[in-house]
Each structure stands twice: as C-alpha cells, then as structure tokens.
Amino acid sequence: MTTPPTAIIDSEAVTGAGRPIPVVDPANEEVIAEINEAEDELVDRAVLSARAAFERGDWRCMSVEDRQKVLRACADAIDAAADEIADIECSNTGIPYSAIRNGQIVRSANNFRFFADYIGQMVSELYEQESDYLTFVRREPKGVAGLISPWNSPLALGSMKVVSAIAFGNSCVLKPAEHAPLGLTRLIEVIQGAGLPPGVVNLVNGYGASTGDRLVRHPDIDCISFTGGTRTGRAIMAAAGEHLKPSIMELGGKSANIVFDDADFEQALDGALIGIFSNNGQQCLAGSRILVQRGIAKDFIEAMVERTRKVRVGDPRDPATEIGPLANRNHYNHVMSFVPEGLDNDARVLVGGERAPGFDKGFYFSPTVAEVDSNSHRLCQEEIFGPFASLMVFDTDEEAYRIANESRFGLVGYAWSRSIERIMAAQERISAGTIWCNTPMMRDLHAPFGGVRESGVGAEGGRSAEMFYTLQKTVSIPRRPLKLRKLGA
Ligand code: NAD
C-alpha cells in the first residue's frame, strides 16, 4: 500500500495529518493507498503558494516562447512517465490499461502541446475609431484558478484544466476526485520537474465537501473550473457566486444518439456501442439514449443486443478487455439501482442488467441495453453514468428531435444519416453544446466543449479557455501629443 502526498505545494510533496482517505482498486476491492486529507491549513497554504507565484510574476511575465518551452517540457515529462502513470491509474480507476496508456496519457501530454501552440498564435484587438488614438485590448491572466476534477477520466480532464489555466500565465490549485486521485497526483508531481516555477501548479487531495469547499470559497481564488455532477456543480456555482467568482461548470449528460433509417448501419452500430461503452460507460458525453427509426429498429436492436452480449468485460490489465469494473462501490450501487427500472411495464432489459458473471470481487457490471417506451421514463431522464443504454424507437425526424431535446441536460447529440439534409437539420435542431454527425466522440481542442441547460455553463477548449482564464484590459494611447483643455489655466 502506498501513501501518496496529501498535497503538492511550491513544487514539494507534502504529507498532511488529516483523516485518511482509502483508495480502492475497483477490480479487486483492495485498498491500494491511503491519502491523508488536506485540511484547511494545507488548502490555505496551497492557495497562498499559487498567489505568491502569481504576484512574483516569474511565470506570468515569462516570454511566450519560454512558457511554450516549459509547457512542451511538461508534455515530454508526461510521455516519459507514461508507463508508470498508466499503471497507477489503471489500478485506481479500473479503466482498461490500453485506453489509459494509448488514450488518456497521450491526450494529457497533447493538452500541454496544444496550449503551447495556442499561446503562440494569440492575437489582440486594436481599435482606431478615434483618429488621435490607438486603443488596444490586452489579455492578462486572471490570477489563481481553483480546479476541481471528477473521477471518470482523471488524467485527461485534470491535465486539461491545469494547462488551460497556466498557459495564459495563471497559477492554480487542483483538487482531484477523492476516489481516483493517484494518477493525477503523480502526473502533477512529474510535471514539477519540467521548469514550472514553484507554486504555479499546486494540488490538494481531499473530499469535496471539506477540501473542495475550502478551495472554492478561498478569497485568494479568482476563478473556478469544475467538472463533475450537476448537483455538485450547482452547489459550487452558488458558493462561487457568493464571492462573485467566475466559474466554468462542465456537468452531466444524457445525450441522444439518433440513428435515422438511411444511416450507414454498421457505422451507426459501431458508433452507438463506442458511444455508450467506452471508458467503462462512465462518460459525461455518452450517447446514452439511443433513438432508432422504426424502419431499421428491429434489425438495429437485434444487432445491438448481439454485439453488447459479446463486449468483453474483464480485468482492466488484460489487453482483450473492453470494459473494466465501475469506479467504486457507491457508483456500482448507483448503476445497479437502475436495473429494476428496466423491468417495469414501460421498459425491458434486453441484455445485461446484472453483475457481470464470473467475478467474485470487483465492481463489474454487465453491459446493458434496455428498450424503453417513453422518454419520460427514469431510464431516459437520469444520468446512469455506466455501461447502460436506453433505446427508443421513433417514427418521424420531428419526433426524434423532440425526444432528443426533452431533457434537462444538453451536453452532446449524435446523428447518423447518409443524407446531408438530415445531418444539417440534425445539427441545427438538437439542442446541445456539441453535435457529432456520423461519428462518435471527436474532440478538436480548438473548439469549445461545454453543455447547455443542466449540462453546464461555459466551455473548455482553446478560445473558450482564453476567454475564461484571461481578463480583458483596454488601453488607450494618443498617437501624438494631445491638445488638452487647460483647466484652471
Ligand atoms: P462529483 O460531482 O461527485 O465530484 C466531482 C468533484 O467535485 C470531486 O473532486 C469532488 O470531490 C468535488 N466536490 C464534491 N462536492 C464539492 C463541494 N461541495 N465543493 C467543492 N468540490 C466538491 O462528480 P463525479 O461523480 O466525480 O463525476 C461524475 C460526474 O461528472 C457525472 O455527472 C459526469 O457527467 C460529470 N462529468 C462531466 C464532464 C463534462 O465535461 N461535462 C466530464 C466528465 C464528467
């Protein structure tokens, strides 16, 4: 059993004396680490370290070229430690090793490279409406960012938050999720050696209601970026609002995946399976409501059930595994609680809906598809956040859009059709922050990623991050000496 640091402050690992947080391997339920929670005093120290780094200015005022070099060195450091971080992350999250090693870690390093490139391309505004003046708008870093990340994709999401904040000259304090802190804590340790001045990236481990809340409310935190559940987001936004702190909220989803009757059947089927079962089904952007047009519904449902039955559930370290265990016991119980919902008069579990056979230990849940008759059913309205698809049949395109938009969430929409008219209509009619047309899960880091309604406020991504993590400062300078009025002359 390891004892990872409670915090990373001023580039140093710190072990606190707070209550121990047991960290469990979801594949075998063994406690693999214990972390002492960061108590108020350590949170305060981390924030003050970030504040001091910001005031000192060695990062904020560093030339763009030098900052780019450091961000690229962070990416290289992540690459160099990739095997080690992947190993830790696999034990802590149950996500298949190959998806971590070849997906999330590569993405984490690329997040740093992307923002290194981005800051080299930033442009500023210049106005010349008044002939005697040049008025320009500078973008300055906001200050100290409080970053709170979830357990479902700790590395990709946590690294995105950190680099989005620091690329523009801010410093930050990151709080990983208490259930899955190990990989991200190690990643933050690893990048400290890449040339970041002390205090630019700090980390505190702990529970949300204590460590997280202290961080959000700290007067020296200038802005908050949160990814997690909608209920938590509401509480954090209220706390941030009390202190008038700007915040980005990346929250839950219950996204519609519309398969029209003229879709490329195989592509749509593959896309639907990827959309719901990737990352052990624990994805905000999952296509968790699959809407199939009646003409192809029978064949599509049969094929979906057949393929779902064959999805390989297993040890996340086995290269053949496609779905590992759910992340923790509470979450396993949450996903299980939806099974009876799939057995009432309006819903039928077609495959899965049980503990995955063959496992005595671990939070293994069978990939599940339920056919549901009404979109008002709980299976269609609540975020299950597991490998559990709700499938509905529709007749007309209008009906599909109505069902897609009948949701308190609005993170993503998927549409499958060979007709360009239908695709163009779908991307307009589905109310969500991102629409994937004839593809599952495509993420271009330039583009904003954020939700509407209860899926969030604000967005991450190149330009969106620039807008959020920088302040606009307007500067006016006369082109030549002015003839000012001589008051009192
Ligand atoms: P969660 O809301 O339980 O926790 C997220 C983080 O918030 C954790 O670090 C937790 O410790 C912290 N936290 C909890 N209460 C807090 C408080 N009062 N003050 C400060 N911090 C607090 O979410 P989760 O269960 O870890 O993650 C799953 C959820 O995240 C799902 O709803 C999923 O859809 C969502 N998610 C959204 C996106 C997106 O980009 N929109 C991406 C991934 C996950």
Side-chain angles (χ1 to χ4, degrees), residues 170-453:
N170 299 286
S171 41
C172 68
V173 181
L174 168 70
K175 193 202 85 63
E178 58 272 29
H179 297 294
L182 302 187
L184 192 50
T185 301
R186 185 67 194 127
L187 185 145
I188 298 301
E189 277 185 299
V190 158
I191 62 170
Q192 299 295 332
L196 290 166
V200 173
V201 178
N202 301 279
L203 172 143
V204 286
N205 275 308
Y207 292 102
S210 38
T211 308
D213 186 64
R214 180 77 177 186
L215 181 62
V216 169
R217 291 176 192 275
H218 198 290
D220 263 310
I221 291 286
D222 297 300
C223 58
I224 312 278
S225 173
F226 168 75
T227 299
T230 294
R231 196 179 336 149
T232 315
R234 204 171 262 131
I236 292 180
M237 204 165 168
E242 260 177 53
H243 300 260
L244 297 177
K245 295 179 187 182
S247 53
I248 297 183
M249 296 285 136
E250 300 281 0
L251 310 176
K254 190 76 188 181
S255 299
N257 182 353
I258 305 177
V259 184
F260 292 104
D261 54 10
D262 62 349
D264 179 321
F265 190 93
E266 275 302 308
Q267 288 262 303
L269 181 62
D270 291 343
L273 287 152
I274 294 169
I276 184 64
F277 295 137
S278 301
N279 211 47
N280 298 347
Q282 301 163 151
Q283 308 187 90
C284 56
L285 42 73
S288 48
R289 286 185 297 151
I290 301 172
L291 317 183
V292 193
Q293 199 150 21
R294 192 166 309 273
I296 57 164
K298 184 166 170 299
D299 290 348
F300 192 90
I301 294 170
E302 267 175 31
M304 182 88 195
V305 168
E306 188 56 28
R307 290 274 296 277
T308 300
R309 192 166 281 129
K310 291 190 197 150
V311 169
R312 290 183 293 276
V313 179
D315 182 336
R317 289 179 187 279
D318 181 342
T321 291
E322 293 173 314
I323 294 193
L326 295 172
N328 57 67
R329 176 169 296 288
N330 280 349
H331 189 55
Y332 176 85
N333 291 339
H334 165 80
V335 174
M336 262 302 176
S337 76
F338 285 90
V339 173
E341 304 280 337
L343 302 171
D344 67 16
N345 287 338
D346 298 320
R348 296 160 292 288
V349 169
L350 304 177
V351 55
E354 58 186 2
R355 182 175 176 76
F359 296 95
D360 301 336
K361 284 230 147 90
F363 308 124
Y364 290 95
F365 183 81
S366 278
T368 299
V369 177
E371 188 178 356
V372 189
D373 297 331
S374 158
N375 189 47
S376 57
H377 197 282
R378 199 172 152 235
L379 287 186
C380 297
Q381 290 299 320
E382 289 191 24
E383 188 182 42
I384 303 174
F385 212 58
F388 196 137
S390 307
L391 214 145
M392 266 169 292
V393 178
F394 68 91
D395 286 298
T396 64
D397 295 18
E398 282 304 314
E399 189 187 355
Y401 301 137
R402 181 180 54 70
I403 294 173
N405 295 337
E406 255 174 25
S407 172
R408 63 196 172 95
F409 297 111
L411 193 57
V412 169
Y414 302 61
W416 301 84
S417 165
R418 285 196 174 95
S419 148
I420 187 70
E421 286 86 355
R422 267 181 156 168
I423 289 296
M424 290 310 286
Q427 58 84 20
E428 272 181 34
R429 299 288 304 278
I430 302 172
S431 164
T434 297
I435 311 291
W436 284 316
C437 304
N438 292 328
T439 177
M441 296 188 268
M442 154 61 198
R443 180 87 171 86
D444 184 327
L445 295 182
H446 292 90
F449 185 82
V452 298
R453 299 192 290 276

Side-chain angles (χ1 to χ4, degrees), residues 147-164:
L147 310 174
I148 297 177
S149 62
W151 48 257
N152 65 313
S153 298
L155 298 175
L157 298 173
S159 62
M160 183 70 172
K161 286 197 185 304
V162 167
V163 68
S164 305

